[in-house]
Amino acid sequence: MKYRYIAQPKFWKNYRKLTPDQQKSTREVWQIFKHEPFDTRLRTHRINSLSSIFKRTVYAVVIERDLRVVFYIEGDTVVTVNIGGHDVYKT
């Protein structure tokens, strides 16, 4: 399926706080993510605690050790909610 991508303001705010190396890692993973958010290399997994808060299935992909991107899918749109360490699961 071909998706459209939208990032919420909180995602961009926290992206700008990342180190230059983390931003580079994020851009590299984005090349995979934009083609297939469920590519096995991304280790996409469901976040049950956020799914109950958002009232929809919420996922996270692994950028590097403790860096995740949280997102959900609405129709043909992928909405990136946040980026950061495991604390993003408390969004």
Side-chain angles (χ1 to χ4, degrees), residues 4-17:
R4 291 182 328 120
Y5 292 85
I6 297 173
Q8 292 187 339
K10 188 173 192 175
F11 171 87
W12 288 118
K13 177 183 173 189
N14 289 328
Y15 175 82
R16 287 188 289 275
K17 292 179 182 178

